[in-house]
Amino acid sequence: MTKDDYLVVGAGLFGAVFAHEAALHHKRVTVIEKRDHVAGNIYTKEIDGIQVHQYGAHIFHTSDQEIWDYVNQFATFNRYTNSPLASYQGKMYNLPFNMNTFSELWGVRTQAEAKQEIERQRASLQLTGAPRNLEEQAISLVGTDIYEKLIKGYTEKQWGQQAKDLPAFIIRRLPVRYTFDNNYFNDTYQGIPIGGYTQIVEKMLASDLITVETGVDFFDNQAQYLKTYPKIIFSGMIDQYFNYQLGELAYRSLKFETEELNVDNYQGNAVVNYTDAATPFTRIIEHKHFEFGQGDAGKTIITREYPKAWQRGDEPYYPINTVKNNDLYKAYAALAKNEKNVIFGGRLGQYRYFDMHQVIHSALVAARKELE
Ligand code: FAD
Ligand code: UDP
């Protein structure tokens, strides 16, 4: 036995919030992390004075005052507003789908004209009930033209399957707006932490009661950990925890290709999506634009993001929340209920397409239930 009260598996946002809350309740915690750094997928690293988002663009957004106040304990946020552009066959379009996009595509000037055009295009769908999949949802929201140019190619690259076979909720993440407003989110609060995300997790874990061990994989000693610790918080893959006994859950992986260029400014925006099917990557991010051009003069850093099939051993960046996969997850969640001394949480532990604010919320709920 150990003197610790908790073992936290994974030093991502879920594990870090839980460990932080436990230490505030005078509990002793060991955090193990298989990567060589903390912060999970929100990890950022400074290169040439630029905060590089090592695992893809991360923009914090929430409408929940409590979550916003919580995260502001650990960093000061800038006023960054995400306004990605879409590049389709050499032409640039504004995102999310708004009057700028409609005007660029069809020359319309008013909401009435845009709505009329979308209505004309969506008539081909002949929908009777609610949209049953991403394709129907997209066409019903913005019509066939935007679906073909800005959605279908991107979506099918991103997920490695047809839009017809994907759940509708994925496209509802994006706002559709009849104003000239390129803000990608509808939330009250949005920004990028000045100095990067890693400090947030480091500060959460900075307690005499918390020991952090990086480069340590839970599965190298699973049985031993279960014997040693009275309680475990597990934020890795739930199917792996159960040795895939009911079958594998589906994930999507990514490859990041980062390049340093000797120019001040490469693409003039933090995020440019490549929405055609032919370009193998989905987006290029130029990190300095998250912090309004900060960094060394004459240098910039860009990252191309390539989606790829997930196989055991790859990073499982996205759960693929189809009905079939969610049903399998439910079967694992039923097994998890019998593991009385383990709490499963986070994007991988709960198999949910969670954003950062949702992970913080979920970790705070779990911590309160456990500690109060
Ligand atoms: P993770 O960050 O994955 O942390 C889990 C940790 O557990 C990892 O460090 C992993 O190495 C470790 N681990 C797993 N298994 C083991 C094991 N066996 N032993 C030891 N350690 C283990 N959210 C937003 O709000 N805004 C965005 O703009 C945004 N953009 C994103 C872009 C991309 C490309 C991706 C992939 C995600 C994005 N997100 C965004 C989501 C955000 O990354 C997640 O919500 C959040 O990081 C999830 O935290 P987590 O702790 O659940 O998981
Ligand atoms: N999407 C799209 N075209 C775009 C951007 C997004 O079709 O230019 C779709 C795509 O299916 C994507 C989903 O909207 O998976 C959600 O986009 P989001 O930007 O939220 O994805 P994330 O940043 O989580 O990868």
Side-chain angles (χ1 to χ4, degrees), residues 57 59 61 82 84-87 95 97 134 138 146-147 149-156 158-159 163 166 169-174 184-185 254 272-275 282-283 305 318 347 353-355:
I59 300 100
H61 57 98
N82 199 30
L85 290 159
S87 165
L95 292 172
F97 314 119
L134 197 156
I146 290 183
Y147 174 66
K149 292 183 170 135
L150 306 183
I151 298 176
K152 189 177 195 302
Y154 185 100
T155 294
E156 294 186 350
Q158 165 69 13
W159 297 100
L166 288 162
F169 86 87
I170 292 181
I171 198 66
R172 291 198 301 267
R173 286 169 60 87
L174 275 55
Y184 203 62
F185 302 110
L254 298 170
V272 178
N273 290 356
Y274 286 76
T275 58
T282 45
R283 44 193 172 191
E305 192 173 313
Y318 294 86
R347 236 192 201 203
Y353 192 174
F354 274 149
D355 280 332

Side-chain angles (χ1 to χ4, degrees), residues 9-15 32-35 37 39-42 55-61 173 185 216-219 234-237 240 254 256 283 305 315 317-318 345-348 354-357 359:
V9 181
L13 205 43
F14 189 92
I32 57 167
E33 166 55 57
K34 70 177 176 186
R35 299 182 193 174
H37 60 76
N41 289 338
I42 71 172
Y55 301 97
H58 276 78
I59 300 100
F60 197 92
H61 57 98
R173 286 169 60 87
F185 302 110
V216 176
D217 191 326
F218 174 74
F219 294 111
F234 183 80
S235 69
M237 292 157 58
Q240 187 180 15
L254 298 170
F256 297 103
R283 44 193 172 191
E305 192 173 313
E315 287 294 345
Y317 289 104
Y318 294 86
R347 236 192 201 203
L348 303 174
F354 274 149
D355 280 332
M356 291 180 275
H357 59 294
V359 169

Side-chain angles (χ1 to χ4, degrees), residues 323-340:
V323 172
K324 177 170 158 260
N325 299 335
N326 287 346
D327 284 346
L328 180 56
Y329 165 70
K330 281 181 203 145
Y332 276 116
L335 289 183
K337 273 215 161 114
N338 300 327
E339 296 284 293
K340 299 286 180 228

Side-chain angles (χ1 to χ4, degrees), residues 160-180:
Q161 45 187 289
Q162 296 209 329
K164 279 191 190 76
D165 299 326
L166 288 162
F169 86 87
I170 292 181
I171 198 66
R172 291 198 301 267
R173 286 169 60 87
L174 275 55
V176 176
R177 256 189 225 120
Y178 291 92
T179 52
F180 291 87

Side-chain angles (χ1 to χ4, degrees), residues 179-196:
T179 52
F180 291 87
D181 177 358
N182 298 323
N183 184 350
Y184 203 62
F185 302 110
N186 280 329
D187 281 324
T188 314
Y189 302 109
Q190 178 174 177
I192 301 281
I194 297 166

Side-chain angles (χ1 to χ4, degrees), residues 220-334:
D220 289 343
N221 274 304
Q222 183 168 2
Q224 190 60 35
Y225 287 127
L226 287 167
K227 259 194 259 159
T228 312
Y229 288 87
K231 199 117 196 204
I232 294 181
I233 311 314
F234 183 80
S235 69
M237 292 157 58
I238 188 167
D239 54 346
Q240 187 180 15
Y241 179 94
F242 291 107
N243 197 23
Y244 307 103
Q245 60 182 270
L246 305 174
E248 273 178 9
L249 288 166
Y251 301 92
R252 193 71 174 150
S253 196
L254 298 170
K255 185 184 87 181
F256 297 103
E257 194 181 80
T258 295
E259 209 182 323
E260 190 175 317
L261 304 172
N262 293 323
V263 293
D264 279 333
N265 176 8
Y266 170 73
Q267 63 183 16
N269 204 41
V271 185
V272 178
N273 290 356
Y274 286 76
T275 58
D276 59 296
T279 308
F281 44 84
T282 45
R283 44 193 172 191
I284 300 183
I285 61 177
E286 186 172 7
H287 303 267
K288 64 164 38 172
H289 297 305
F290 290 118
E291 295 191 283
F292 309 106
Q294 271 191 10
D296 297 353
K299 295 243 186 262
T300 195
I301 296 174
I302 62 165
T303 301
R304 294 183 193 84
E305 192 173 313
Y306 297 82
K308 68 181 188 100
W310 175 87
Q311 303 173 34
R312 288 190 198 186
D314 291 339
E315 287 294 345
Y317 289 104
Y318 294 86
I320 307 180
N321 290 118
T322 58
V323 172
K324 177 170 158 260
N325 299 335
N326 287 346
D327 284 346
L328 180 56
Y329 165 70
K330 281 181 203 145
Y332 276 116

